[in-house]
Amino acid sequence: MDLNGEEPKESFIADIEKADPGVVTCLENRMHGFEDGDTVTFREIKGMTALNGNMCKIRVLTPYAYSICDTSTDQFAPYEHDGIATQVKVTSSTHFESLKKQLHAPALLTPDLSRFEAPGSIHLGICALHKFRELHGRFPNIRCNKDAALLEQLAEDVNSQMEQRVDSIDKNLIRNLSYTSQGCFPPLCAALGGIAAQEGLKALTGKFTPLKQWLHFDASEVLSGFENSDVQCFLPRQNRYDALRICIGEELCQQLCNLRIFMVGCGAIGCEMIKNYAMIGISTAEKGQITITDNDLIEKSNLNRQFLFRPHHIQKPKSTTAAQSALEINPDLQIEAQQYKVCPQTENSAYTDAFFTSQDLIVNALDNVEARRYVDSRCVVNQRALLESGTMGAKGHVQVIVPHLTESYSTQRDPPDEDVPYCTLKSFPATVEHCIQWARDKFESQFSQKPSLFNKFWSSHQSPLHVVEILQNGGTLDGSVQVSRLLERRPSDWDGCVALARLKFEKYFNHKAKQLLHAFPADTKLKDGSLFWQSPKRPPTPVVFSQKDVTHMSFVVTTARILAEMFGVNWNSQDLLPERIAQILAAVKVPEFRPSSKVIITDESVDKPEEDTVTGDELEDAAVRIQRVIGNSTGDQAMGWRFNHLKPADFEKDDDSNGHIDFITAASNLRAEMYSIDPADRLKTKRIAGRIVPAIATTTAAVAGLVTIELIKIVKKSPIEHYKNCFLNLALPVLVFSEPGAVERTVVKDNLSFTLWDKWEVRGHKDFTLQDFLNYFKGKHGFEVTMVVHGVRMIYVPVMPGHRKRLPQTLLKLIKPSQGKKYVDLVVSFESDNSEDIPGPPVRYYFS
């Protein structure tokens, strides 16, 4: 059994102590990520080679060190350098008790530590409910206090028979169970359904840790405040919402029908959310409105988890397709699909402040942090509730954001992802992921950026002869060197595309290795005497091309195909036959390796250069190349085809016929071969190169169900203690509910404080000066303004030269708003009683 479904961790080794037990130390500032009791295996160790291929159980000492077996014996030579430790997935067996025994001695998962007794009470309530049905042949009547009392007594009876009794039964939970037992609450069903489905998959596949053995949780906070409600509000009315009405009542059902929601994103979570909206009748009344937006098109890889989409929907807009599918579930939905991006560029058009304030709440169904932060900022400015969620594989989260109650999404920030150093990708890959990223970058550079540059260049410079003249006279033209090379090498037929692909093979996988070994021979040492080529740097080995090697031929053929598409060269299936490719390759003249004097970056702190510096000689060479192309062409028509626009490749991971993933798979595995790195299969390559975020339909369903429960609490205007943030990992399984973090209050001085949700307003007029603006705060709040900023522009900072001269000027002149703009949001800082600068809340200044 794979306990957690995570990829096995790997760690580079810096040192292994010869001791009992031996202590392994990681490379500087690189944590191993292992846990106590993990089993690891070793490879590529120099010196203490007896460890290679062996498995050891470890004990973690620090995040950078762990102990292994006894390495003090003669069997183990002293450690020299290199080595990689890899986590081993060890099979585990789990044993379960029978249902009969577990009914009286349940092993309960406790999802909410603030309600530790709740799972036990729910267990008693469910057992009592079955007893009630056995005795009466029915479930308790809707909102019937007599039946609720009977169920409470049955729960007490069941508790008396338990091996470990519940000390204090939550009678409110039992009563709510009685009241709602004939109903159905779809969001809770969705959440539990996703979790139960994952447990079923575990039983079938043996992957992930199964639940031991009971999970009980509730959404009883939704039922608070109904104690004195009229029973008639909960009775069936012979429509599709009867089961829901039994749970939450007619009044809340009507509030849901009239709700105005804006949902950003229609991917995996978005599809599940829309389904939930349809199930509980959100925005089915005339006043209601669901607005959804997503600028993406449906891809083949979406179909396994975005269940509103089908194969015939591929390449159609996600938003409009999701809306159409939702109407098939519930034709009464008032839903509008849009394809705009929610970003600064649409603030003044599609998604204005007025649009946000017209919504009752906002729902995020996004897949990237920056977009989430932006939507969060718009919700804060316009004081609108936001429901935030996300999944990655079996993991998921839900965050509730309510104006003036909770912190915002941006209040807490995850540490940024660690970027791979430029020199690692360029010259010193250590893992197959580095190789895949290199191949992906190479695809973008060769088949998209360069042809786009070529097209842009010749669109700006119509005359090749004029370009030659400028370059020969010492002038510079951006991109001229790259364009001239592309122009000279441009093939006219399929044979030329294959030949060019073969030369790229030699350049990338043979000459590159030779150049590195020329610059840094195998015995090169650093200033401290240590070897240059030691972990994580791996010395390359030049790859010798062979037509018998499937990967070698795959690279040549897929590269030739993409080049042919880019250059507008025709080819057919006969051109792909092995004998045809072999015939072309036999005629290709591969140049010998010539060492270059180009500097190779080895410093991991150095970023990728913005643009290579072009020398005068290179510009002259560019002129010569263009001149040569012109000279070799006879007549305008013969020369013209070389200057025709190219077709840049738009990377598409889901079209298996275009060769894009095949190119990246072949290129990355050849680079891995060059650096003695284990290759990756096509599926893994596609996942990494296509930046596919792992998503499982079970997790998505569970998270969307939990979000919808919180949505209903927002509609009810629940207090903060009723809301539940959630983190879950269905692989372990772990489910943790917690109260959202309360909003932090900043105290400016006695009797004056604010939170991030506060917004101060200043109403001016066309003659309202900067001095008037400062005087407003001096008079109203009694403090001095120390800074006024609009966007990235500083309007007033007293210590800046010339800023005091702005005091008599009107804010209309200083800010220069766009036509029709009625207000702007300013950032204003003040001087506190301790003479410290304190940033205040956003200040909305109205021009009239």
Side-chain angles (χ1 to χ4, degrees):
M1 181 189 299
D2 179 357
L3 296 180
N4 57 19
E6 303 283 349
E7 290 288 328
K9 296 182 176 68
E10 285 194 342
S11 174
F12 290 98
I13 296 169
D15 184 50
I16 304 175
E17 185 182 351
K18 196 169 166 59
D20 182 16
V23 175
V24 180
T25 306
C26 305
L27 290 178
E28 187 177 3
N29 297 325
R30 298 196 187 193
M31 294 187 286
H32 50 70
F34 300 143
E35 296 179 5
D36 254 350
D38 278 353
T39 300
V40 301
T41 185
F42 300 96
R43 69 178 192 273
E44 300 180 20
I45 294 174
K46 304 295 191 297
M48 198 177 285
T49 55
L51 279 176
N52 288 332
N54 283 344
M55 291 194 294
C56 294
K57 203 168 213 178
I58 69 167
R59 186 168 70 87
V60 172
L61 303 177
T62 73
Y64 304 95
Y66 52 91
S67 63
I68 52 172
C69 59
D70 180 3
T71 58
S72 63
T73 64
D74 293 339
Q75 177 189 355
F76 298 95
Y79 173 81
E80 293 176 8
H81 57 85
D82 289 356
I84 299 172
T86 305
Q87 185 183 40
V88 177
K89 294 280 187 176
V90 179
T91 300
S92 173
S93 297
T94 302
H95 301 280
F96 297 90
E97 292 181 345
S98 67
L99 176 61
K100 183 178 180 180
K101 182 169 184 179
Q102 277 287 305
L103 283 172
H104 299 286
L108 298 170
L109 185 70
T110 305
D112 189 345
L113 296 179
S114 68
R115 300 174 65 230
F116 191 78
E117 297 289 340
S121 294
I122 298 172
H123 185 83
L124 295 176
I126 297 294
C127 292
L129 194 61
H130 284 282
K131 290 281 186 185
F132 188 101
R133 192 175 188 187
E134 286 176 17
L135 292 170
H136 303 282
R138 62 176 175 83
F139 286 123
N141 288 323
I142 301 165
R143 311 296 293 185
C144 176
N145 290 326
K146 182 180 177 181
D147 283 356
L150 289 174
L151 192 67
E152 285 180 34
Q153 184 56 53
L154 286 172
E156 294 282 2
D157 295 343
V158 172
N159 194 31
S160 66
Q161 300 167 24
M162 302 294 283
E163 288 188 17
Q164 187 171 352
R165 297 183 183 182
V166 175
D167 294 333
S168 177
I169 299 175
D170 188 334
K171 292 185 178 181
N172 191 48
L173 268 176
I174 306 299
R175 195 176 303 112
N176 282 332
L177 181 60
S178 176
Y179 290 162
T180 61
S181 61
Q182 293 190 31
C184 176
F185 191 46
L188 193 57
C189 294
L192 279 170
I195 296 168
Q198 188 63 61
E199 293 304 310
L201 289 172
K202 291 175 185 178
L204 291 170
T205 63
K207 189 169 186 176
F208 303 158
T209 304
L211 172 68
K212 286 194 68 175
Q213 283 190 242
W214 295 90
L215 170 63
H216 294 302
F217 71 91
D218 64 287
S220 57
E221 298 88 1
V222 172
L223 304 179
S224 68
F226 292 159
E227 294 79 11
N228 299 318
S229 298
D230 187 348
V231 175
Q232 294 298 318
C233 295
F234 298 88
L235 297 180
R237 303 190 179 189
Q238 309 310 312
N239 63 32
R240 67 182 294 164
Y241 307 114
D242 280 351
L244 174 67
R245 187 178 293 106
I246 289 169
C247 297
I248 66 173
E250 175 62 14
E251 183 180 345
L252 187 49
C253 282
Q254 285 303 313
Q255 286 181 276
L256 295 176
C257 289
N258 289 295
L259 204 60
R260 296 183 65 84
I261 291 182
F262 178 42
M263 189 175 77
V264 189
C266 296
I269 290 180
C271 285
E272 290 286 346
M273 291 298 303
I274 292 170
K275 176 261 294 180
N276 289 343
Y277 301 158
M279 294 294 289
I280 62 175
I282 284 180
S283 305
T284 51
E286 187 177 345
K287 293 180 181 178
Q289 175 79 58
I290 301 171
T291 305
I292 58 176
T293 187
D294 195 314
N295 65 332
D296 278 352
L297 301 179
I298 297 164
E299 298 178 354
K300 185 179 178 181
S301 61
N302 299 148
L303 301 183
N304 72 329
R305 62 194 182 279
Q306 299 178 18
F307 79 102
L308 294 181
F309 308 142
R310 297 292 182 265
H312 62 274
H313 291 142
I314 290 173
Q315 288 304 299
K316 291 184 178 179
K318 285 187 175 181
S319 58
T320 55
T321 306
Q324 291 164 5
S325 298
L327 288 170
E328 293 179 18
I329 301 173
N330 189 338
D332 295 330
L333 282 183
Q334 304 292 319
I335 186 166
E336 179 183 346
Q338 301 176 352
Q339 296 173 53
Y340 306 120
K341 205 171 181 182
V342 184
C343 60
Q345 289 72 32
T346 56
E347 269 186 34
N348 297 319
S349 53
Y351 305 121
T352 61
D353 288 341
F355 172 83
F356 270 87
T357 54
S358 71
Q359 305 300 314
D360 293 313
L361 61 91
I362 316 299
V363 179
N364 266 352
L366 293 162
D367 60 1
N368 70 88
V369 172
E370 285 309 310
R372 286 181 168 119
R373 285 180 183 155
Y374 175 75
V375 175
D376 176 67
S377 70
R378 299 290 287 141
C379 289
V380 170
V381 167
N382 292 287
Q383 301 188 5
R384 283 296 174 266
L386 172 67
L387 287 166
E388 162 57 33
S389 61
T391 69
M392 180 173 286
K395 300 171 186 171
H397 78 271
V398 176
Q399 183 179 359
V400 189
I401 298 153
V402 183
H404 305 292
L405 285 184
T406 72
E407 61 189 10
S408 72
Y409 174 77
S410 301
T411 303
Q412 304 292 333
R413 292 205 172 205
D414 293 330
D417 293 333
E418 189 175 338
D419 291 331
V420 180
Y422 168 71
C423 68
T424 299
L425 290 178
K426 178 76 173 172
S427 304
F428 308 109
T431 66
V432 74
E433 287 80 5
H434 296 160
C435 298
I436 294 169
Q437 185 59 54
W438 171 87
R440 178 70 179 85
D441 292 346
K442 192 62 69 177
F443 179 97
E444 202 64 27
S445 168
Q446 296 297 311
F447 306 130
S448 180
Q449 293 172 359
K450 286 185 178 180
S452 296
L453 174 65
F454 183 93
N455 295 343
K456 182 180 178 182
F457 185 89
W458 293 117
S459 294
S460 303
H461 309 287
Q462 299 289 331
S463 171
L465 291 172
H466 184 58
V467 169
V468 171
E469 184 181 344
I470 292 173
L471 295 176
Q472 286 177 338
N473 291 333
T476 60
L477 294 172
D478 289 343
S480 57
V481 175
Q482 284 183 310
V483 166
S484 67
R485 289 172 179 158
L486 203 55
L487 186 67
E488 186 177 48
R489 296 169 187 167
R490 180 169 188 167
S492 60
D493 54 20
W494 173 249
D495 289 25
C497 293
V498 174
L500 186 55
R502 172 66 182 89
L503 296 179
K504 287 185 180 295
F505 179 101
E506 202 71 13
K507 176 184 176 182
Y508 298 157
F509 312 116
N510 186 284
H511 291 181
K512 173 68 175 179
K514 290 177 178 177
Q515 178 62 34
L516 280 166
L517 294 172
H518 170 77
F520 307 106
D523 58 355
T524 302
K525 293 188 177 181
L526 301 173
K527 291 179 181 178
D528 62 1
S530 60
L531 286 170
F532 176 85
W533 292 109
Q534 64 173 327
S535 186
K537 288 188 176 70
R538 310 168 75 96
T541 301
V543 179
V544 179
F545 180 77
S546 170
Q547 293 186 33
K548 296 179 181 179
D549 191 298
V550 175
T551 307
H552 294 198
M553 291 299 286
S554 176
F555 175 84
V556 169
V557 172
T558 54
T559 304
R561 283 179 55 198
I562 300 172
L563 287 172
E565 184 75 17
M566 185 178 91
F567 288 121
V569 172
N570 295 323
W571 58 277
N572 56 51
S573 58
Q574 298 296 311
D575 289 323
L576 300 179
L577 294 174
E579 54 270 24
R580 172 81 172 105
I581 300 295
Q583 178 189 0
I584 300 171
L585 291 176
V588 178
K589 293 181 180 179
V590 180
E592 293 291 324
F593 168 70
R594 291 183 181 178
S596 167
S597 59
K598 193 172 181 179
V599 175
I600 297 173
I601 297 173
T602 60
D603 187 348
E604 293 188 355
S605 64
V606 174
D607 294 331
K608 180 180 180 179
E610 287 295 324
E611 195 173 311
D612 293 337
T613 305
V614 178
T615 64
D617 289 343
E618 287 178 314
L619 292 172
E620 288 182 18
D621 291 343
V624 171
R625 280 191 287 269
I626 299 172
Q627 184 69 57
R628 192 158 50 230
V629 169
I630 297 171
N632 290 339
S633 305
T634 54
D636 291 342
Q637 191 172 4
M639 183 179 72
W641 71 269
R642 288 188 178 273
F643 296 90
N644 288 342
H645 274 207
L646 306 181
K647 183 181 178 182
D650 187 8
F651 177 70
E652 175 50 64
K653 64 183 182 298
D654 291 319
D655 183 358
D656 292 339
S657 67
N658 62 21
H660 294 183
I661 291 296
D662 293 328
F663 167 83
I664 292 173
T665 302
S668 60
N669 284 340
L670 283 167
R671 189 166 174 85
E673 179 186 343
M674 186 171 99
Y675 285 96
S676 303
I677 296 170
D678 292 337
D681 60 30
R682 191 178 189 277
L683 191 62
K684 180 176 180 178
T685 302
K686 179 177 179 177
R687 177 172 59 81
I688 296 172
R691 296 176 177 87
I692 298 173
V693 177
I696 304 175
T698 51
T699 315
T700 308
V703 166
L706 294 172
V707 171
T708 309
I709 292 171
E710 299 308 310
L711 180 152
I712 294 172
K713 294 177 189 176
I714 290 175
V715 173
K716 281 174 56 67
K717 295 182 169 55
S718 298
I720 190 170
E721 60 269 18
H722 284 185
Y723 295 110
K724 298 295 177 186
N725 286 351
C726 179
F727 169 78
L728 58 84
N729 186 339
L730 299 187
L732 297 178
V734 167
L735 189 69
V736 179
F737 293 110
S738 61
E739 185 180 306
V743 64
E744 185 178 339
R745 181 165 293 278
T746 301
V747 177
V748 180
K749 62 178 185 177
D750 292 342
N751 301 320
L752 183 62
S753 62
F754 64 89
T755 72
L756 64 88
W757 292 103
D758 289 318
K759 179 173 60 184
W760 292 348
E761 293 184 354
V762 178
R763 296 189 175 271
H765 46 77
K766 64 184 180 64
D767 298 322
F768 201 80
T769 65
L770 176 59
Q771 184 67 66
D772 294 332
F773 186 78
L774 304 187
N775 291 344
Y776 171 87
F777 290 102
K778 181 70 173 176
K780 185 173 180 66
H781 299 298
F783 47 61
E784 300 287 343
V785 173
T786 57
M787 185 173 67
V788 181
V789 177
H790 176 229
V792 296
R793 183 166 166 252
M794 289 187 290
I795 302 297
Y796 176 69
V797 181
V799 297
M800 295 285 287
H803 274 220
R804 290 190 180 275
K805 294 180 181 179
R806 296 179 177 180
L807 293 174
Q809 297 182 39
T810 65
L811 285 178
L812 201 60
K813 181 179 179 181
L814 289 170
I815 296 173
K816 298 182 179 67
S818 57
Q819 189 173 5
K821 190 85 171 176
K822 296 180 180 180
Y823 57 80
V824 291
D825 289 325
L826 304 174
V827 176
V828 180
S829 294
F830 311 100
E831 185 176 335
S832 70
D833 294 338
N834 301 325
S835 299
E836 295 179 354
D837 281 355
I838 297 179
V843 174
R844 179 159 289 182
Y845 174 73
Y846 290 85
F847 293 104
S848 61

